[in-house]
Amino acid sequence: MCGIVGYLGNKEKKEILLDGLQELEYRGYDSAGIAVIEGEKLNSFKAVGKLENLREKTKNFHTEHFGVSIGHTRWATHGKPTELNAHPHIGNYSYVVHNGIIENYQILKKALQAEGITFLSQTDTETIVHLFEKYHKELHDPFNAFKQTVQRLEGAYATLLITEADPETIYFAKNGSPMLIGFDGDEIYFASSDTPIIGKAKEVYYLEDGEYGFAKAGTVKLYNASGEKSFTKQALTKDKVLAQKEGYRFFMEKEIYEQSRIMGETIMGRVLDESIDFEELDKEFFKDIHALKICACGTSYHAALTASYLFERIAKIPCHVEIASEFRYKEPLLNKDTLFITISQSGETADTLEALKMAKRAGLRSLTVCNVDNSSIVRESDRAILTRAGIEKGVASTKAFATQTMVLWMLSLYVGQIKGMISKEVLQKEIAAMLHTPKALIVNDTLHEKIRRLSKRYLHGHGFFFIGRDLFYPLALEGALKLKEISYLHAEGYPAGEMKHGPIALADSGLFTVALMPKTLHYEKIKSNVEELSARDATILAISPEPFELADDFIQTAYDSHPMLEFFEMMIVTQLLALEISVRLGNDVDMPRNLAKSVTVE
Ligand code: M6R
């Protein structure tokens, strides 16, 4: 999703901005732009499409002296991905970049237009720069003009503004969208996440919601609703976790293959010989907790749904799962005996973050399962368990899902232990399966080749149904999501037993059914469901350790001793299937159309 980089100092600004934006590229964007003020000189460039287009446009532009600069990658929300709609947006003498959504922009825009101001773009962002210049005209004071502007904005924003009226200053404000300030002596950096400034800044301050201010002459002045505020910088990690394809065709492929190795890290120090331990948690944290509520989006929601089966089955604790964007507006009833759990790969998903804030306002204790330390959701939560998946670059999440699911499985045992709901025998059996999981995640070349070959038969048809029961229903949802994200084919996940209540009407040879048929969970039940589809001529791709004679295509899995081992093995099959279909269709596997890695707007 949109990315922001800003820099104030003497170095070559164009390179700092472009390199920083490159670091954010994997999040997804459709246009990019930069603006620089150096002395009296003001320059800006924008380009639709990939950053190479912007690099090409700026190839003869260089900066040599002290100056201020801002850059942005845009993922279209208001208005098409055109050059006019790309950031930075210009007023008469100022530029602005912005992540998030200004919810009241139409009201503000109408009022500004009524005063004779012309808008060039269809974006909500442009309102900020015109509002600033309006107040500047009235107040003749850039800082107060910016402050007044920020006070008028409703919604989520992280924004940077530079202006010829104060050419050595960067103005900033943050509410609901992430933003941080990096420091290296007199040089000051801004970014929407820390990757663009690692290796450049030495210290960092993560802005809080409601904070705004300005950077000038090597210092930062910070304010919130109570006035000027002091702040403490913290050391910024020096190690950039560089993600490379390492010989794989795509990041997604690499991330599928590395699931086995990283799962070892996810369980390290947590799955012990006779117990599960999380150094992040303690017994006290669960005191008087009698229910769990999990909120998440997309793939993380599927991990949450999987967990709801495990929490109720293993820990015997009621567990409700909700899609964060739905939860926010349903006026949910929240009890303080409920632990509020969020799941997020990025830790920046706006809906999940807002759901968490709601739960906190209602006085609930909160825990997040997240892949990114220091992300907004981690900082907002009372406790955080990191999934240790490493940076995930493919927009279609794979290893994040695997590690989230593993953490939640461990957590269900941990809670079961604390509540005294789990026998020694069950604990031992689960621990043995957990320790075996890295093995079940090894991608076998023969299997991959088989999936590659059979993928050619699944490039058409009028849709896919991924079906499963119990734990394999969320996996079916996830398999369908993976396929639609990168193949652009229609795919749905469905509980197998529910097909006869409607969707079976679609069954014919053009309906592709991917049937998840584990041996260890309700095999006979799902077999009957698949037989019903086969009888109506649906094309069946069955995945099971048990040979299934009615399948048109069959992938035999190896594990048949524990549902979670079957789960992870089948997860690999569905991930590879989506990947190979997408490759055959010639799609951009790592950066599928219309999608963003980090969804920071609601
Ligand atoms: O970063 P999060 O886990 O909070 O993101 C939630 C979803 O946006 C994300 O899982 C999305 O569905 C992925 N593209 C799935 O592959």
Side-chain angles (χ1 to χ4, degrees):
M1 194 140 281
C2 303
I4 288 182
V5 179
Y7 171 70
L8 176 153
N10 290 302
K11 289 194 179 136
E12 162 58 285
K13 281 155 271 303
K14 177 186 81 173
E15 292 305 329
I16 289 176
L17 296 179
L18 291 178
D19 290 352
L21 294 175
Q22 194 94 47
E23 294 289 343
L24 300 171
E25 196 178 26
Y26 73 98
R27 289 166 179 250
Y29 67 103
D30 39 51
S31 55
I34 60 170
V36 177
I37 302 179
E38 209 184 63
E40 293 302 299
K41 280 182 269 158
L42 193 151
N43 285 285
S44 88
F45 303 86
K46 297 182 190 191
V48 172
K50 299 285 180 205
L51 273 172
E52 296 109 63
N53 303 343
L54 186 60
R55 278 196 192 276
E56 181 57 31
K57 276 200 164 174
T58 54
K59 68 178 182 220
N60 297 322
F61 170 67
H62 302 286
T63 64
E64 286 152 10
H65 307 290
F66 176 83
V68 294
S69 58
I70 55 178
H72 191 266
T73 43
R74 171 175 188 254
W75 185 81
T77 55
H78 297 76
K80 292 203 165 120
T82 60
E83 216 166 276
L84 268 184
N85 286 335
H87 303 210
H89 286 288
I90 185 169
N92 287 317
Y93 50 87
S94 319
Y95 284 101
V96 72
V97 292
H98 157 236
N99 286 357
I101 290 179
I102 305 300
E103 286 170 2
N104 59 336
Y105 87 100
Q106 270 167 329
I107 300 170
L108 297 172
K109 185 172 177 175
K110 269 195 194 125
L112 289 162
Q113 282 171 327
E115 291 180 30
I117 291 164
T118 310
F119 279 71
L120 300 173
S121 77
Q122 299 155 302
T123 65
D124 52 337
T125 303
E126 197 182 339
T127 326
I128 304 175
V129 73
H130 293 307
L131 211 50
F132 169 78
E133 291 190 352
K134 167 191 149 71
Y135 286 126
H136 183 244
K137 214 160 128 192
E138 289 167 17
L139 303 166
H140 306 290
D141 173 358
F143 173 64
N144 276 316
F146 186 72
K147 181 177 167 184
Q148 293 272 1
T149 303
V150 170
Q151 283 169 352
R152 296 287 308 279
L153 305 180
E154 287 171 19
Y157 51 83
T159 184
L160 297 180
L161 182 142
I162 56 175
T163 175
E164 283 182 280
D166 191 3
E168 299 196 344
T169 303
I170 298 182
Y171 291 93
F172 62 86
K174 184 246 191 252
N175 192 48
S177 292
M179 171 94 95
L180 51 89
I181 313 177
F183 301 84
D184 180 19
D186 282 351
E187 288 179 75
I188 296 178
Y189 298 83
F190 291 88
S192 48
S193 83
D194 55 13
T195 38
I197 64 164
I198 292 175
K200 297 188 170 82
K202 294 196 172 68
E203 291 177 304
V204 66
Y205 174 69
Y206 294 91
L207 286 163
E208 305 274 342
D209 284 345
E211 291 181 343
Y212 62 96
F214 61 88
K216 190 183 186 112
T219 56
V220 166
K221 293 275 185 199
L222 185 71
Y223 302 81
N224 64 12
S226 318
E228 193 172 341
K229 198 185 155 188
S230 60
F231 61 97
T232 312
K233 302 171 202 168
Q234 61 187 82
L236 178 67
T237 174
K238 292 193 184 82
D239 305 318
K240 192 176 287 189
V241 203
L242 278 178
Q244 303 292 344
K245 286 189 198 148
E246 293 165 13
Y248 291 98
R249 295 169 296 169
F250 311 100
F251 278 109
M252 182 187 176
E253 185 176 43
K254 179 195 151 220
E255 286 157 7
I256 294 171
Y257 272 75
E258 70 188 3
Q259 290 175 116
S260 167
R261 179 183 57 76
I262 52 157
M263 198 56 96
E265 294 181 21
T266 304
I267 63 178
M268 198 188 300
R270 292 168 170 171
V271 180
L272 309 179
D273 286 348
E274 295 185 350
S275 63
I276 303 295
D277 188 39
F278 283 106
E279 62 181 16
E280 303 86 344
L281 303 176
D282 50 59
K283 215 171 165 177
E284 193 56 27
F285 186 63
F286 291 87
K287 192 164 176 263
D288 300 325
I289 291 293
H290 297 120
L292 307 176
K293 166 88 80 191
I294 318 185
C295 263
C297 304
T299 287
S300 298
Y301 167 73
H302 298 153
L305 216 52
T306 309
S308 68
Y309 289 84
L310 297 170
F311 278 120
E312 298 210 345
R313 185 165 293 151
I314 296 174
K316 311 276 182 249
I317 184 164
C319 177
H320 295 108
V321 178
E322 299 203 42
I323 289 177
S325 54
E326 286 300 308
F327 171 82
R328 289 180 62 185
Y329 299 103
K330 70 183 284 203
E331 299 179 25
L333 297 176
L334 297 170
N335 290 325
K336 289 195 178 136
D337 71 348
T338 301
L339 175 65
F340 193 79
I341 304 179
T342 50
I343 305 174
S344 177
Q345 187 286 127
S346 62
E348 301 297 350
T349 302
D351 285 316
T352 310
L353 180 60
E354 290 308 314
L356 167 61
K357 288 180 186 165
M358 271 175 71
K360 284 185 72 181
R361 282 196 293 274
L364 272 65
R365 255 170 276 172
S366 59
L367 166 69
T368 190
V369 174
C370 189
N371 194 35
V372 181
D373 199 5
N374 273 319
S375 56
S376 302
I377 294 178
V378 166
R379 283 181 283 119
E380 191 70 36
S381 301
D382 294 330
R383 301 288 175 96
I385 304 178
L386 296 178
T387 47
R388 304 176 182 164
I391 189 162
E392 187 181 64
K393 281 239 175 184
V395 165
S397 182
T398 51
K399 61 178 182 170
F401 174 71
T403 52
Q404 286 166 344
T405 307
M406 177 53 107
V407 165
L408 291 160
W409 179 19
M410 291 190 280
L411 192 62
S412 69
L413 287 191
Y414 182 85
V415 176
Q417 280 170 186
I418 287 180
K419 303 259 169 222
M421 286 296 177
I422 179 161
S423 69
K424 224 175 161 181
E425 294 69 43
V426 172
L427 191 60
Q428 282 302 333
K429 193 175 143 246
E430 297 296 301
I431 285 176
M434 279 173 178
L435 293 172
H436 204 83
T437 303
K439 258 197 166 161
L441 285 167
I442 293 172
V443 182
N444 157 327
D445 288 346
T446 320
L447 171 80
H448 192 164
E449 178 55 17
K450 177 165 186 174
I451 294 171
R452 195 190 67 75
R453 286 172 60 83
L454 67 78
S455 63
K456 65 176 170 286
R457 297 208 278 275
Y458 293 90
L459 307 177
H460 58 288
H462 59 72
F464 284 77
F465 267 89
F466 283 67
I467 59 168
R469 296 183 79 121
D470 205 292
L471 293 168
F472 293 80
Y473 160 50
L475 185 59
L477 290 173
E478 176 57 12
L481 179 65
K482 280 300 78 87
L483 185 67
K484 69 185 139 201
E485 280 187 297
I486 58 173
S487 72
Y488 319 144
L489 297 171
H490 180 73
E492 267 188 78
Y494 233 78
E498 190 66 11
M499 290 298 283
K500 57 185 170 296
H501 298 292
I504 203 165
L506 295 172
D508 64 18
S509 59
L511 180 78
F512 297 146
T513 303
V514 181
L516 307 178
M517 305 174 69
K519 175 85 186 298
T520 50
L521 264 182
H522 322 303
Y523 179 76
E524 290 305 327
K525 300 275 178 216
I526 176 119
K527 190 167 168 237
S528 309
N529 300 141
V530 183
E531 280 165 1
E532 286 154 14
L533 281 155
S534 171
R536 283 148 186 97
D537 217 19
T539 299
I540 312 284
L541 165 56
I543 306 170
S544 180
E546 282 288 296
F548 181 60
E549 62 285 1
L550 295 177
D552 297 276
D553 281 308
F554 179 63
I555 294 173
Q556 185 153 28
T557 45
Y559 285 90
D560 61 0
S561 56
H562 190 287
M564 289 308 289
L565 295 179
E566 291 203 69
F567 180 99
F568 284 120
E569 196 186 4
M570 289 189 190
M571 176 199 75
I572 296 260
V573 174
T574 57
Q575 292 170 344
L576 291 173
L577 182 68
L579 174 83
E580 293 304 336
I581 290 177
S582 171
V583 173
R584 283 191 188 272
L585 292 171
N587 298 343
D588 187 340
V589 170
D590 286 331
M591 283 195 245
R593 70 183 185 201
N594 303 338
L595 297 181
K597 183 74 188 154
S598 183
V599 184
T600 48
V601 292
E602 78 162 290

